[in-house]
Amino acid sequence: MGRDNLVPVQIPRQVLTNRQLESIADAIISLYRQRDVVPALEPVREGPWCDQMRYRGFFADLEPYEIDSIPYVIHTIERVGRLSQEERRLAIRAAGYNTFLLRSVDVTIDLLTDSGTSAMSTDQWAAYDAARATPCTSDEYRRLVHVLRDATGYQHIIPTHQGRAAEHILSQIMIKPGQIVQGNMYFTTTKLHQELAGGVFADVIVEAAHDPTSTYPWKGNIDLPKLRQIVEQHGPEQIAYISFEHSVNMAGGQPVSMDNMRAVYGLCAPLRIPVFFDATRMAENARMIQKRDPHYHDTNIRDILREMLMYGDGCTVSGKKDFLINIGGLLAFRDNAEWTYDAEHLLRIYEGNTTDGGLSAADLACISRGVEEMLDDRYIGARVRQTEALGQMLLEADIPIVTPPGSHAIFLDAKRFLPHIDQDAFPAQRLAAEIYVETGVRAMERGNVSKGRNPKTGENYRPSLELVRLTIPRRVYTRDHMRAVADGIIRVYQRREEIEGLRFVYEPEKLRFFQGRFAPIEE
Ligand code: P71
């Protein structure tokens, strides 16, 4: 066999993931198995160079082969932190055992949040670069309105600079002091804005959401009897609106079923109680419906999403998650011009123009592209599969996690991981710190520290969920990274009995998880 018979498979540097290379190997193996049916080619034009050759042939009847990997390649790389374990021990101490306070350059794999951490596409960067900076109505704004109307089915599109800006405006225009807002669990900024507007928050999520061991597939659902009971007790005019979150973050990234959205809207619309989605992770919720609800197996993400949003009067969005951009948000209403008028008035006061919400035209351009990419079935499928793969690796090692695995994050159950630490010694906070020391992976506490103190009693709330969140940024990490994360956590689990709790050395009054500082209880 001479050199002429070789087919080089040359590997570009830092472009393909190991998983993609494995898929290529699998494809070659599959072809090799079927080599007997591969016909020869007949040259029809020759020349000294390969690219001058032309052949005639016919296609063999080969088994179909689908490459099973993320549907993109690496384009630009970023260096990560490489401290030794001893250096990390010093770094976490200097950060008061609070992973928020670590320097980002000291983190190797950053799973603090999926917010504002996405890798943008070449298409998004090209659009960013091409946008004309203008204080007036830009083409980018017009395109954004077009794309978002089409994606959501909502007529009134109001850009904001982040999710909490949209929450602020919605709370101010919809809540009269003393009114109730019912929601499926809560998110910190959402609830804070509702309370600042004089609202009283009532949690109406299904009971299963509070049980980390339940495997109920729709742990984001609203409990209809709970909702109905509050309406009957106070009267529909006392309910400001329903605050309905997709892929409920604090419950572990748990989806809402289509049936539940339909039923909640069916109950509220005749009573004139508005339903507003926190649609921050809408595409991930849509993907869960596609996967778990047999009625939607063959429906594409775009159509599932349109139906989901039909069962609501509007939405707020933090674009920093599913929209695949790192700044931006959205407030949208289906058809109510009066709410839109009031909202745009506040937008001008607090945010910026009605045609930009305080964002640059370049940011708006990235959002439009990001929304289109978010609706790609191959992208969203791979995204959710990656998170689930990490969950599966941990489950196989009997690590206690919230089940079923969520779509944007895996949540470790610190109560079961460190059962010997009382909740007032903040087991989740300590576990996040310990994971950093062991592995260089940064995670986030979502438990007693985040929930805060009851203002009446001064006691810690001691919530049922005491969790550490491993949040997966979009399009950033590979399966090898997930394996390294799982292996590190397994090592921490093996020495869990040596780990002790923490006490506050500095405790801010509001949102104490951001800036709070701790010391080990044993010191
Ligand atoms: C996350 C964040 C970012 C965050 C914000 C505050 C404290 C800790 C972390 C932000 C959300 C969210 C949902 C469901 C609204 C916001 C606020 N999440 N709703 O998970 O998850 O959006 O940051 O753009 O203002 O790390 P904003």
Side-chain angles (χ1 to χ4, degrees), residues 100 112-115 162-165 167 187-190 245 249 278 280-281 318-321 328 408 444 446 469 513-514:
F100 275 100
L112 185 75
T113 179
D114 65 327
S115 179
Q162 281 200 204
R164 67 194 77 181
E167 293 164 1
F187 187 73
T188 46
T189 58
T190 322
E245 186 185 331
N249 192 359
D278 180 337
T280 295
R281 296 182 181 86
S318 166
K320 299 167 73 176
K321 287 85 173 171
H408 71 299
M444 187 194 285
R446 295 276 89 172
R469 187 179 75 168
F513 55 90
F514 277 130

Side-chain angles (χ1 to χ4, degrees), residues 151-152 246 256-258 261 282-293 295-311 375 377 380:
T152 62
H246 294 137
V256 182
S257 73
M258 190 71 92
M261 285 181 250
M282 53 171 124
E284 292 176 358
N285 199 117
R287 168 62 188 160
M288 286 303 203
I289 290 174
Q290 188 181 51
K291 226 178 119 172
R292 293 186 184 165
D293 183 339
H295 290 114
Y296 293 92
H297 283 344
D298 299 324
T299 312
N300 62 35
I301 292 294
R302 196 177 266 279
D303 292 339
I304 295 175
L305 189 64
R306 278 290 284 257
E307 184 180 346
M308 283 163 55
L309 295 177
M310 251 171 55
Y311 306 126
L375 295 171
D377 285 79
I380 196 71

Side-chain angles (χ1 to χ4, degrees), residues 239-252:
I239 313 295
Y241 58 88
I242 310 298
S243 179
F244 205 171
E245 186 185 331
H246 294 137
S247 308
V248 181
N249 192 359
M250 300 294 269

Side-chain angles (χ1 to χ4, degrees), residues 131-302:
R132 185 195 306 266
T134 168
C136 302
T137 304
S138 58
D139 284 354
E140 285 71 26
Y141 167 72
R142 291 153 67 96
R143 171 156 183 180
L144 179 80
V145 171
H146 174 75
V147 168
L148 282 172
R149 276 187 181 157
D150 188 52
T152 62
Y154 293 161
Q155 193 55 27
H156 302 290
I157 301 297
I158 304 167
T160 63
H161 85 277
Q162 281 200 204
R164 67 194 77 181
E167 293 164 1
H168 169 221
I169 293 171
L170 183 72
S171 304
Q172 290 295 329
I173 67 171
M174 297 303 300
I175 302 173
K176 294 195 200 80
Q179 274 189 321
I180 296 167
V181 180
Q182 305 198 59
N184 50 344
M185 211 163 255
Y186 71 101
F187 187 73
T188 46
T189 58
T190 322
K191 179 158 159 276
L192 191 60
H193 278 300
Q194 290 160 358
E195 289 169 352
L196 288 171
V200 179
F201 183 79
D203 185 1
V204 289
I205 201 165
V206 289
E207 275 311 308
H210 296 286
D211 174 5
T213 63
S214 156
T215 55
Y216 183 57
W218 308 108
K219 283 166 104 172
N221 279 2
I222 283 181
D223 185 322
L224 286 160
K226 275 193 208 170
L227 181 101
R228 210 178 284 118
Q229 195 262 323
I230 294 176
V231 174
E232 279 163 13
Q233 191 183 340
H234 298 272
E237 59 297 334
Q238 258 307 97
I239 313 295
Y241 58 88
I242 310 298
S243 179
F244 205 171
E245 186 185 331
H246 294 137
S247 308
V248 181
N249 192 359
M250 300 294 269
Q254 301 295 332
V256 182
S257 73
M258 190 71 92
D259 292 342
N260 192 247
M261 285 181 250
R262 198 180 295 120
V264 168
Y265 196 62
L267 185 92
C268 292
L271 299 172
R272 298 176 152 272
I273 301 173
V275 175
F276 292 116
F277 290 113
D278 180 337
T280 295
R281 296 182 181 86
M282 53 171 124
E284 292 176 358
N285 199 117
R287 168 62 188 160
M288 286 303 203
I289 290 174
Q290 188 181 51
K291 226 178 119 172
R292 293 186 184 165
D293 183 339
H295 290 114
Y296 293 92
H297 283 344
D298 299 324
T299 312
N300 62 35
I301 292 294
R302 196 177 266 279

Side-chain angles (χ1 to χ4, degrees), residues 459-477:
E459 300 287 311
N460 290 314
Y461 274 114
R462 300 175 66 94
S464 52
L465 298 181
E466 177 73 21
L467 309 175
V468 171
R469 187 179 75 168
L470 304 161
T471 339
I472 321 295
R474 294 169 181 78
R475 305 195 292 205
V476 173
Y477 293 114

